[in-house]
Amino acid sequence: MNRRSTLAAALTLTTGLALAGCGGDSAPKLEVAGAYMPQPVSQQMAGAYFTVKNNGDTTDKLTSVTSNLAKDISIHKTVGTKMERVESLPIPANGTLQLGHGGNHLMFMGLKSKPTKDDVVTIRLHFAHADPIRVAVTVKAADYQPKH
């Protein structure tokens, strides 16, 4: 092996080891819990709530939601008494993103059908870095309040 081949092999090995160290455990590791939707009172809109836990060392963000239930699903946050549509919500490394009454939530606009109590709605959460997660959302009574 000449000096140039040895140097190329050493650089290839070093680059491979460096890239291997960049992946693995540092990626976001997301799980969803407590997903529910209060039974909608009209055919026009519904809300949904859940918690996303990130057990990874990298911050991620919820960027969109898809489902066959509605024509449009948007991500909202509440500031004071005002709801604001946002493009994404952060999920901190080793932290949680909480969606609940009076805070962050999903809005389903233009429902294709009106779900009733005990139905299960399937949604797909999309993130900036992690793979999408399919979530079964249980429809609860309109006045349902989760226990903390």
Side-chain angles (χ1 to χ4, degrees):
M1 225 186 230
N2 65 29
R3 180 174 278 208
R4 196 173 259 173
S5 298
T6 303
L7 180 58
L11 285 173
T12 301
L13 179 61
T14 303
T15 302
L17 291 172
L19 289 175
C22 290
D25 291 343
S26 66
K29 295 178 184 157
L30 307 177
E31 59 185 58
V32 178
Y36 74 97
M37 171 185 286
Q39 182 175 320
V41 294
S42 74
Q43 185 89 17
Q44 282 70 48
M45 68 179 143
Y49 312 99
F50 49 85
T51 300
V52 181
K53 182 164 177 49
N54 184 353
N55 295 310
D57 296 328
T58 303
T59 297
D60 206 341
K61 58 185 171 179
L62 176 64
T63 57
S64 66
V65 181
T66 54
S67 174
N68 292 332
L69 179 64
K71 294 176 186 171
D72 179 55
I73 304 170
S74 55
I75 304 168
H76 286 122
K77 69 177 183 176
T78 302
V79 179
T81 59
K82 221 175 181 179
M83 247 185 352
E84 290 181 9
R85 184 177 186 148
V86 295
E87 295 300 315
S88 64
L89 290 172
I91 309 164
N94 297 301
T96 59
L97 166 62
Q98 180 70 43
L99 280 75
H101 283 284
N104 301 326
H105 59 281
L106 301 182
M107 288 297 301
F108 295 73
M109 304 300 290
L111 299 177
K112 295 177 183 175
S113 63
K114 184 178 167 188
T116 58
K117 185 176 179 240
D118 297 326
D119 284 350
V120 176
V121 174
T122 301
I123 63 174
R124 194 167 181 90
L125 305 178
H126 302 270
F127 306 94
H129 304 291
D131 290 335
I133 297 175
R134 185 178 158 171
V135 179
V137 180
T138 304
V139 179
K140 303 286 189 178
D143 60 353
Y144 173 77
Q145 293 295 320
K147 295 177 182 151
H148 296 279

